Amino acid sequence: MSDDTRTSHGQRAGRRTRRGLAAAAALLLAGLAVAPVAAAAGERTQQTRRGDLVAVTPVADRDAGQVRSFLSGWDVDADGVRYGLRAYRLTYRTVDPYGEPTTATGLLTLPKRGGHRLDLVSDTHGTMVDRDYAPSVSEDFGRVPSYVNAAAGRAVAAPDYLGLGKGPGPHPYMDTASSVTASVDMLRAARTAAERLGRPLTGAVYATGFSQGGQVAMALGKALRAGADRHFRLVALAPVSGPYDLEGQEMPALFDGRVNDTSGVLYIAYWLVAQSRLHPLYKDASEAFRAPYASRVESLLDGSHEQEDVVRGLAPSVKQLLTPAFYQRLRHPSGAVLEAMRTADHTCDWKPDVPVRLYAAAGDTDVPLGNTRTCARTLAGQGARVRVVDQGAVDHFGSVLVSAPQVVRFFDGVRP
């Protein structure tokens, strides 16, 4: 579920990337050829619609060499880089978990050359607690899939989700329904923006995503297959390391050692705080969290703290974080807790009629491989043909770094 729960190479490289690119970004943005596009105040006098574009803001302009350098900094195979790219933050209209109007942001990345009309990749990111780490804000790990795919010649729409990036409010972590609406509406906003930027989209959508975003990608594929938007047709699906089975795999793994302690604490704290806003899991944080964590957990997860700070402020293990009663409640879920898990556990119960590959890693101690195995069995039970690609001994973070270029090659082999 996490973009980066490690305290070693990934975090250090991420900090170096942020520092190294921050100064260059300001200079590059000043010289971008395409000015920001904003919806005029009087453009729509009637009711606005989901996916309406509010603003387009340039955030990056990279030549092919710079893209290769960025990817190489993350130990990502850059052999598939053919083009430079331009990236834009889109602000668009969508709805919150209750169906009320709100706005969200996301990253649209376009290749500098290649075909005039572009196929579109939807890339949905993994767990992040810091809103400023979102793809449209930070040129960091979260942009790896976008840059790999755009440099190969496709447009890429990467939603920040609700409450991350420049969107208002808290992030409803692991709320599948609102992640899908934000993702569909990002596709709509991308379609409008790409048209205005002179690179219209064909309507073909290749869906991928990592960790939390792997689950969202599967749900988005299901929604597109069901006709969520007539302008877009799903042509291939390639999620990476998604938590598709909370009840049967991910939650039990928190207690049997398959999920490492640091990641387990982060995930369960984030999940409980976010889901308790949507489901009656607890009335007061002290029902779920031990002291002193109960008094700080919600403020730590308000979107303004870096992941390292959140982890430092919480207990070293799930058992030490949760009250004894709530610990047992999660080990033997029922009622609202079980309902919250099952609400997220229906993303694989459909029959894709497009090529599907599920990428994962046996060495993953954040989202164990069993999640992917369960999803593959569920899809196969619906009559779908699915291939599981096990990346072996790499960890969670490494699973997407290895898989991202392979996903591009898989997409290259699928005709729209």
Side-chain angles (χ1 to χ4, degrees):
M1 291 187 284
S2 173
D3 266 352
D4 179 15
T5 59
R6 304 189 312 173
T7 59
S8 57
H9 171 76
Q11 291 171 340
R12 291 196 300 271
R15 286 191 288 268
R16 287 197 304 270
T17 304
R18 284 192 291 269
R19 288 195 298 265
L21 291 170
L27 294 173
L28 286 166
L29 294 181
L32 286 177
V34 182
V37 181
E43 185 176 82
R44 281 193 173 83
T45 57
Q46 304 300 318
Q47 185 177 13
T48 58
R49 299 172 298 178
R50 282 179 45 192
D52 276 358
L53 188 63
V54 176
V56 179
T57 305
V59 294
D61 187 340
R62 304 284 177 256
D63 61 32
Q66 290 172 316
V67 176
R68 291 188 190 97
S69 178
F70 173 83
L71 296 176
S72 296
W74 291 102
D75 297 327
V76 174
D77 178 3
D79 287 349
V81 172
R82 296 195 291 273
Y83 309 110
L85 56 83
R86 292 188 177 95
Y88 308 85
R89 180 187 307 119
L90 307 188
T91 304
Y92 61 95
R93 303 192 186 281
T94 186
V95 292
D96 68 14
Y98 308 99
E100 296 298 318
T102 188
T103 59
T105 55
L107 185 75
L108 172 65
T109 310
L110 302 174
K112 285 189 175 181
R113 295 194 302 276
H116 176 62
R117 291 175 57 82
L118 300 171
D119 296 337
L120 181 65
V121 173
S122 172
D123 172 53
T124 42
H125 67 73
T127 300
M128 53 183 61
V129 297
D130 182 353
R131 64 171 58 250
D132 289 337
Y133 195 56
S136 81
V137 178
S138 176
E139 188 167 42
D140 214 306
F141 169 70
R143 289 198 187 176
V144 167
S146 288
Y147 283 14
V148 169
N149 280 281
R154 296 183 182 88
V156 186
D160 294 333
Y161 307 144
L162 298 179
L164 296 173
K166 299 299 183 180
H171 173 48
Y173 180 55
M174 291 298 293
D175 178 52
T176 308
S178 64
S179 295
V180 170
T181 57
S183 298
V184 170
D185 293 343
M186 176 64 187
L187 298 181
R188 293 166 172 158
R191 179 171 176 263
T192 302
E195 182 78 32
R196 292 183 182 181
L197 292 164
R199 303 300 295 278
L201 304 180
T202 66
V205 175
Y206 298 76
T208 187
F210 168 56
S211 197
Q212 175 192 1
Q215 191 247 26
V216 176
M218 182 60 66
L220 175 63
K222 182 179 181 180
L224 291 177
R225 179 67 180 83
D229 190 294
R230 63 184 179 85
H231 294 290
F232 298 108
R233 63 187 185 281
L234 182 69
V235 296
L237 183 57
V240 182
S241 301
Y244 313 105
D245 186 8
L246 296 186
E247 181 186 359
Q249 292 291 332
E250 190 63 27
M251 287 296 178
L254 293 174
F255 305 103
D256 65 17
R258 283 179 291 152
V259 172
N260 70 79
D261 285 338
T262 300
S263 298
V265 166
L266 179 70
Y267 294 151
I268 199 60
Y270 203 7
W271 188 79
L272 287 174
V273 167
Q275 291 295 312
S276 291
R277 298 188 184 106
L278 306 173
H279 306 272
L281 303 188
Y282 59 74
K283 293 182 180 179
D284 186 87
S286 62
E287 296 174 26
F289 301 98
R290 294 176 185 260
Y293 313 113
S295 64
R296 68 175 73 138
V297 63
E298 293 181 351
S299 61
L300 282 171
L301 291 163
D302 65 358
S304 67
H305 295 80
E306 292 191 3
Q307 182 170 292
E308 295 91 337
D309 296 330
V310 175
V311 170
R312 278 195 297 266
L314 298 177
S317 71
V318 172
K319 192 166 188 178
Q320 292 169 281
L321 176 73
L322 301 177
T323 62
F326 217 90
Y327 184 84
Q328 292 302 321
R329 190 177 173 192
L330 287 174
R331 291 194 68 183
H332 309 286
S334 62
V337 169
L338 183 59
E339 179 185 350
M341 293 180 192
R342 288 180 172 174
T343 298
D345 280 350
H346 296 285
T347 60
C348 301
D349 60 353
W350 59 294
K351 181 183 178 180
D353 56 359
V354 300
V356 179
R357 286 189 186 174
L358 303 180
Y359 296 79
D364 192 338
T365 62
D366 286 52
V367 181
L369 181 61
N371 282 276
T372 295
R373 298 292 188 197
T374 297
C375 182
R377 286 194 299 270
T378 304
L379 291 169
Q382 301 291 322
R385 297 183 64 182
V386 182
R387 178 183 169 190
V388 173
V389 180
D390 180 358
Q391 304 291 13
V394 300
D395 63 9
H396 187 58
F397 180 83
S399 71
V400 70
L401 298 180
V402 174
S403 298
Q406 297 178 16
V407 169
V408 171
R409 291 192 288 272
F410 168 54
F411 287 167
D412 285 345
V414 178
R415 289 185 176 276

